[in-house]
Amino acid sequence: AYFIPCTCLLINYVHSYTQVLKAQKDLKEKQKELQYIASHDKLTNLYNRREFEFLLDKSLIEAKKSKDLLALLLI
């Protein structure tokens, strides 16, 4: 008598869990897409100024830590 309700609950749980996993996957894909849009120029697909400055600061810090030389060529 309890087999059918328990089976229905189990099926509902599995279905709900797969929907949550799918929603999480979709959310991660959208977050990656938004991150790309925020850090790249729409026309050229190159890094925008904000991302360039962030990467430059990061490279300067890493070069200072490892005591390496860093060159930047501006055209």
Side-chain angles (χ1 to χ4, degrees):
Y2 294 109
F3 179 72
I4 293 174
C6 289
T7 305
C8 290
L9 284 173
L10 182 63
I11 290 171
N12 188 22
Y13 176 76
V14 169
H15 178 71
S16 298
Y17 185 70
T18 57
Q19 291 297 320
V20 167
L21 290 178
K22 183 183 180 301
Q24 286 178 338
K25 181 182 173 188
D26 292 344
L27 180 62
K28 284 183 181 181
E29 289 176 6
K30 290 296 182 184
Q31 285 175 336
K32 286 181 184 178
E33 183 180 340
L34 286 174
Q35 175 62 32
Y36 183 84
I37 290 171
S39 64
H40 287 77
D41 181 63
K42 188 174 183 178
L43 181 62
T44 62
N45 288 331
L46 297 173
Y47 287 125
N48 60 16
R49 179 183 300 259
R50 186 182 66 133
E51 189 70 15
F52 170 75
E53 289 174 354
F54 172 75
L55 291 173
L56 180 61
D57 289 341
K58 186 177 171 184
S59 297
L60 289 170
I61 291 169
E62 289 177 10
K64 189 179 282 188
K65 282 182 182 177
S66 62
K67 297 183 180 178
D68 287 336
L69 295 176
L70 179 70
L72 176 63
L73 175 66
L74 293 175
I75 299 175

